[in-house]
């Protein structure tokens, strides 16, 4: 394999986004021209799949709870417990989802540099704009990223970050709503002050769920597109953790430039 | 007003009831205030010493529905409330007097019983004065004037508690609940459109018996009556858990008494006592009679409709949507957008490949399809 020639017609600077590097990123030779970068460490991959699975389960059960689209198999069977079970599964998935998310937050402070994101810097927003232009097929100065580009990071902040928090606050309030005096009931008793009455809280929960569905559709498309355009193993990376990067002259890979 | 010097016990006796009747009345009262039977003796003691309390009942932007409900209380019987416990000095619906005469009566109470009388308010307050003037005085002014020396204020009905129907979209009068106007007095919210009669009398009975407002929840509603959602005490709840739902009002499920969730029941978001106390002296309540709960005791219930569909409200608006229909539409639009984006990507890709081939650029399999903008 030979080193591909840069095809860019205009400048594409290196990223200026600083990321905390707690340990060197693991790499592996991949032919002469390529290197395999260990981007997603095991906890990140586990998080991703548990998160995906629980969200999927909660979407299906959640839609059922909002619009029960099936009756029990034996109709008029009053001993059936269909809605009861669906709700039970929904709640169970919610607890797994929460524990998983907490573990991921821990990993933000323990993982490699691809496991974190820091939007509190100018470069982040400048490059988000460049990335947005890139995806709109406009002239842009989007740098190359091994991990997530800042636009993707922003979408995770909005959906996996804020979206999850909204869904959890409203969801746990609703879950403990019949027992406001209990410990957990009191923990979430302030939620109505922000979100409004029971009906509003339900509406928030419902609308956030649809936000998640939109996110999933776009996220899957983006991942496939990245894989297709870059041929860098984006799709397999979420199973193996490795992404392919071309070797750069005099450099190991692009990570050098992002060191603080 | 010499009658007001009598205690409630005395006034019961003077009406020809026996002590036994009085004790029975107290027992019913204990139950209807939402107290434990062990507290019965406290109620008896309180009724023996407390005096009848003057009450001013203001009707502002209302429909008199709350008054109508109130006079149908069966335990305590409305007669015993009206004649023994309270002395209703001012009410538009029930007083024989009218005009200046009745306005005078109101002023008389304010002057002679400062800090003692109870103010009951039915209806909401328009922010634009011209929408409601009584005796030449704006609703807001009347309310402020009467509230100033009241011992406690009862917001009867969803109108005075939340704004209610007058405050529903587009709210032409700028209707507001009384809690937005009076901030320095204890206000008990007794929402409902109208509230259950026994809840209304129960709250006032508590006030008179103990001289204090009952224990309230975060929204200022008495916990004894608004602690539970309809859904948690609903007689159709077993069908909900089974997944057996009424699909339309003429189907087999409706006949069998299945859960009304799919025909828009607001029971899961509604705090009220209908499922326990029921209406008209405990005869029935909407869900029992086959109609979904419309959530009339919740704020904005009129805007949370339509009543017979499950909806979600867009935060910050008075607009409800069908989340699944809108959601499916948004997903459809997203997928269409993705299809266009993918198509453009493919075209751009071909173009850049061609131009690269023309330039005889190395096209190793990994590099050839890299985005030009990389
Ligand atoms: S709460 Fe309902 S019943 Fe009472 S005054 Fe308002 S509209 Fe009428
Ligand atoms: S009828 Fe309404 S309140 Fe009763 S169980 Fe069904 S949804 Fe809940």
């Amino acid at each position: 394999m030979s080193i591909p020639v840069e095809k860019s017609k205009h400048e594409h600077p290196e990223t200026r986004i600083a990321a905390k590097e707690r340990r060197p990123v693991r790499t592996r030779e991949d032919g002469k021209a390529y290197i395999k970068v260990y981007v997603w460490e095991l906890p990140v991959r586990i998080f991703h799949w548990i998160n995906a699975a629980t969200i999927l389960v909660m979407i299906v059960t959640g839609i059922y709870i909002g619009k029960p689209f099936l009756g029990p198999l034996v109709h008029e069977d009053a001993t059936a417990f269909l809605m009861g079970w669906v709700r039970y599964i929904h709640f169970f998935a919610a607890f797994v989802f929460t524990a998983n998310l907490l573990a991921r937050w821990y990993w933000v402070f323990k993982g490699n540099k691809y496991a974190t994101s820091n939007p509190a810097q100018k470069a982040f927003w400048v490059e988000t704009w460049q990335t947005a232009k890139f995806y709109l097929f406009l002239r842009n100065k989007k740098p190359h990223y091994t991990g997530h580009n800042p636009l993707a990071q922003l979408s995770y902040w909005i959906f996996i970050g804020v979206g999850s928090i909204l869904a959890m606050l409203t969801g746990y309030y609703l879950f403990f709503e019949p027992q406001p005096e209990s410990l957990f009931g009191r923990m979430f008793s302030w939620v109505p002050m922000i979100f409004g009455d029971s009906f509003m809280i339900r509406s928030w929960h419902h609308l956030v769920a649809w936000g998640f569905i939109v996110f999933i559709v776009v996220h899957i498309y983006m991942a496939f597109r990245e894989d297709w355009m870059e041929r860098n193993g984006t799709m397999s990376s979420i199973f193996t953790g490795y992404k392919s990067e071309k070797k750069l002259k005099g450099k190991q890979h692009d990570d050098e430039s992002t060191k603080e | 007003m010499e009658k007001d010097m009598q205690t409630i016990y005395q006034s019961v006796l003077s009406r020809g009831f026996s002590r036994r009747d009085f004790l029975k009345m107290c027992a019913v009262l204990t139950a209807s205030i939402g107290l434990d039977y062990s507290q019965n003796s406290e109620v008896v003691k309180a009724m023996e010493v407390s005096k009848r309390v003057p009450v001013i009942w203001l009707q502002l932007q209302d429909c008199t529905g709350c008054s109508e409900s109130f006079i149908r209380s069966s335990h305590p019987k409305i007669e015993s409330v009206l004649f023994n416990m309270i002395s209703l000095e001012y009410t538009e619906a029930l007083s024989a007097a009218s005009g200046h005469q009745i306005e005078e009566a109101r002023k008389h109470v304010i002057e002679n019983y400062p800090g003692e009388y109870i103010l009951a308010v039915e209806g909401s307050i328009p922010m634009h004065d011209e929408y409601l003037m009584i005796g030449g005085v704006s609703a807001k002014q009347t309310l402020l004037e009467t509230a100033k020396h009241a011992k406690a204020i009862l917001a009867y009905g969803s109108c005075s508690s939340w704004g209610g129907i007058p405050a529903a979209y587009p709210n032409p009068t700028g209707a507001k609940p009384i809690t937005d106007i009076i901030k320095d007095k204890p206000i008990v919210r007794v929402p409902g459109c109208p509230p259950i009669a026994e809840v209304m009398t129960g709250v006032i009975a508590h006030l008179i018996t103990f001289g204090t407002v009952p224990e309230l929840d975060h929204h200022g509603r008495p916990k004894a009556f608004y602690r539970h959602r309809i859904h948690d005490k609903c007689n159709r709840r077993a069908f909900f858990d089974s997944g057996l739902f009424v699909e339309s009002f003429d189907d087999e499920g409706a006949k069998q008494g299945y859960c009304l969730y799919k025909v828009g029941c607001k029971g899961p978001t509604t705090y009220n006592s209908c499922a326990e106390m029921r209406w008209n002296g405990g005869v029935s309540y909407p869900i029992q009679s086959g109609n979904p709960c419309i959530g009339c005791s919740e704020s904005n219930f009129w805007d949370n409709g339509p009543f017979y569909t499950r909806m979600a409200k867009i935060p910050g608006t008075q607009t409800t949507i069908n989340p699944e229909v809108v959601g499916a539409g948004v997903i459809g639009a997203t997928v269409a957008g993705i299809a266009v984006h993918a198509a453009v990507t493919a075209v751009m890709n071909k173009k850049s490949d061609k131009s690269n081939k023309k330039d005889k650029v190395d096209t190793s399999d990994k590099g050839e399809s890299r985005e030009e903008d990389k």
Side-chain angles (χ1 to χ4, degrees):
Chain A
M1 256 183 275
S2 54
I3 297 170
V5 173
E6 281 292 356
K7 294 186 290 185
S8 46
K9 294 186 187 108
H10 40 267
E11 278 293 296
H12 287 285
E14 312 237 299
T15 180
R16 289 168 186 281
I17 299 176
K20 207 169 209 130
E21 189 155 18
R22 289 186 192 86
R23 52 177 167 270
V25 174
R26 236 198 288 160
T27 56
R28 211 197 266 164
E29 287 293 312
D30 181 21
K32 267 186 237 141
Y34 284 85
I35 199 164
K36 281 194 162 204
V37 185
Y38 191 47
V39 182
W40 319 123
E41 293 166 304
L42 187 62
V44 172
R45 274 135 56 204
I46 293 177
F47 162 77
H48 177 271
W49 288 112
I50 294 182
N51 199 43
T54 51
I55 290 177
L56 205 67
V57 166
M58 284 191 285
I59 285 173
V60 175
T61 52
I63 289 180
Y64 181 85
I65 295 167
K67 287 255 148 69
F69 44 78
L70 284 177
L73 287 183
V74 187
H75 207 59
E76 290 177 32
D77 176 8
T79 59
F81 193 57
L82 184 59
M83 178 59 98
W85 278 114
V86 171
R87 291 174 76 231
Y88 182 85
I89 294 167
H90 191 82
F91 303 148
F92 190 86
F95 281 102
V96 175
F97 171 86
T98 307
N100 190 45
L101 200 65
L102 290 176
R104 182 63 180 81
W105 270 107
Y106 170 76
W107 199 250
V108 165
F109 302 99
K110 286 287 164 209
N112 69 8
K113 67 173 188 175
Y114 300 114
T116 71
S117 165
N118 178 12
Q121 50 185 320
K122 193 174 161 220
F124 182 94
W125 298 99
V126 171
E127 293 181 21
T128 299
W129 174 236
Q130 294 305 329
T131 311
K133 286 203 287 190
F134 163 75
Y135 280 114
L136 292 172
F137 309 108
L138 302 171
R139 268 179 185 270
N140 64 81
K141 293 188 175 138
K142 172 184 172 285
H144 171 69
Y145 304 95
T146 306
H148 290 304
N149 68 53
L151 186 65
Q153 291 179 29
L154 187 65
S155 77
Y156 302 143
W157 274 111
I158 294 173
F159 289 94
I160 305 300
V162 178
S164 297
I165 290 173
L166 290 180
M168 288 192 300
L169 288 180
T170 53
Y172 282 116
Y173 174 82
L174 293 173
F175 183 64
F176 295 114
E177 197 179 8
Q179 295 93 21
E181 292 93 8
S182 65
L183 174 67
F184 286 106
R186 279 191 311 230
M187 248 167 76
F188 295 96
S189 63
W190 52 273
V191 170
M193 291 180 211
I194 297 175
F195 295 94
D197 58 17
S198 193
F199 187 81
M200 275 319 300
I201 293 173
R202 231 159 274 256
S203 301
W204 272 100
H205 197 74
H206 217 132
L207 298 177
V208 168
W210 278 101
F212 267 100
I213 300 175
V214 172
F215 168 78
I216 290 169
V217 171
V218 174
H219 174 74
I220 292 175
Y221 166 66
M222 286 306 211
F224 271 110
R225 183 184 189 275
E226 178 81 3
D227 195 82
W228 167 41
M229 301 300 296
E230 303 288 330
R231 303 284 152 106
N232 62 354
T234 299
M235 286 314 285
S236 60
S237 74
I238 196 58
F239 298 97
T240 64
Y242 284 96
K243 268 188 171 183
S244 282
E245 280 291 319
K246 63 188 167 187
K247 275 185 192 164
L248 295 177
K249 232 189 262 164
K251 284 181 178 179
Q252 266 205 306
H253 50 88
D254 80 314
D255 302 327
E256 297 291 327
S257 60
T258 59
K259 262 184 201 155
E260 269 180 317
Chain B
M1 286 218 166
E2 51 322 345
K3 240 196 229 152
D4 293 338
M5 303 312 292
Q6 285 187 327
T7 66
I8 295 174
Y9 178 45
Q10 284 164 339
S11 96
V12 170
L13 293 186
S14 72
R15 272 163 212 286
F17 293 102
S18 64
R19 175 153 178 95
R20 189 177 165 75
D21 294 325
F22 169 73
L23 290 177
K24 273 195 212 157
M25 183 189 121
C26 290
V28 170
L29 199 59
T30 312
S32 58
I33 299 176
L35 296 177
D36 193 83
Y37 185 68
S38 63
Q39 283 165 290
N40 188 32
S41 55
E42 281 171 54
V43 174
V44 174
K45 241 181 267 162
M47 293 316 244
E48 279 170 348
V49 296
S50 13
K51 303 229 162 74
R52 290 174 70 203
V53 176
V55 173
I56 298 178
W57 184 303
L58 290 182
Q59 284 185 258
L60 303 171
Q61 287 196 131
D62 72 327
C63 74
T64 317
C66 294
S67 296
E68 289 287 344
S69 179
F70 184 73
I71 58 174
R72 280 163 182 77
S73 174
S74 53
H75 8 254
K77 277 224 164 38
I78 190 63
E79 296 87 331
S80 89
V81 174
L82 282 182
F83 298 128
N84 302 327
M85 292 164 63
I86 65 171
S87 135
L88 197 50
E89 302 285 339
Y90 177 97
T91 151
E92 288 169 20
L94 301 179
S95 10
S98 62
H100 291 299
Q101 223 180 342
I102 187 80
E103 290 302 319
E104 275 314 310
R106 182 170 64 87
K107 295 210 174 98
H108 176 82
V109 175
I110 298 173
E111 271 162 35
N112 293 310
Y113 299 91
E116 283 176 48
Y117 65 91
I118 292 171
L119 170 61
V121 185
E122 176 183 2
S124 61
I125 323 301
M127 284 303 104
H128 312 294
D129 285 350
E130 61 274 22
Y131 283 104
L132 182 59
M133 309 283 282
I134 301 164
V137 185
S138 75
K140 195 174 164 187
Q141 198 52 43
T142 312
L143 176 67
L144 286 171
E145 198 178 289
T146 320
K148 201 166 171 204
H149 298 291
K151 177 194 176 86
I153 300 170
L154 298 176
Y156 273 153
S158 292
C159 293
S160 55
S161 297
W162 311 119
I165 292 173
Y169 181 80
N171 192 357
T173 66
K176 288 256 155 64
I178 64 166
T179 43
D180 278 17
I181 289 160
I182 303 158
K183 300 276 182 198
D184 55 348
K185 289 273 165 188
I187 299 181
V188 183
R189 275 185 166 136
V190 189
C193 192
I196 302 170
E198 288 75 20
V199 171
M200 301 177 83
T201 47
V203 172
I204 212 165
H206 187 288
L207 259 171
I208 288 162
T209 316
F210 296 110
T212 55
V213 294
E215 195 189 352
L216 305 178
D217 68 4
H218 288 307
H219 295 291
R221 301 173 294 199
K223 274 191 185 165
F225 303 112
Y226 295 90
R227 158 71 180 76
H228 297 285
R229 299 178 302 170
I230 305 296
H231 189 57
D232 295 324
K233 299 231 168 169
C234 177
N235 58 314
R236 297 185 186 228
R237 179 61 189 262
F239 289 119
F240 174 85
D241 289 334
S242 302
L244 293 168
F245 301 100
V246 174
E247 306 279 343
S248 71
F249 289 106
D250 54 0
D251 68 0
E252 185 56 29
K255 259 187 229 159
Q256 299 297 327
Y258 288 175
C259 167
L260 298 160
Y261 187 74
K262 287 181 86 171
V263 282
C265 182
K266 306 288 187 290
T269 51
T270 304
Y271 286 81
N272 209 338
S273 295
C274 305
E276 302 126 276
M277 313 212 8
R278 315 205 173 191
W279 285 77
N280 301 319
V283 171
S284 182
Y285 72 113
I287 291 171
Q288 187 180 344
S289 308
N291 195 73
C293 169
I294 62 170
C296 76
S297 55
E298 289 295 308
S299 57
N300 301 314
F301 82 95
W302 199 262
D303 293 327
N304 290 348
F307 292 153
Y308 300 118
T309 340
R310 298 217 72 74
M311 301 295 262
K313 204 169 187 179
I314 302 172
T317 69
Q318 287 179 304
T319 311
T320 57
I321 54 165
N322 184 325
E324 270 66 51
V325 171
V326 174
V330 171
I331 295 297
T334 310
V335 170
I338 283 173
V340 171
H341 196 266
V344 174
T345 308
V347 170
M348 303 280 273
N349 224 9
K350 264 236 176 84
K351 255 200 225 155
S352 78
D353 277 359
K354 255 191 213 153
S355 69
N356 285 332
K357 276 198 189 113
K358 242 191 269 158
D359 297 347
K360 290 200 193 100
V361 171
D362 181 329
T363 53
S364 77
D365 48 68
K366 274 194 176 178
E368 68 173 350
S369 51
R370 278 177 189 244
E371 175 84 340
E372 125 171 19
D373 300 307
K374 263 302 26 196

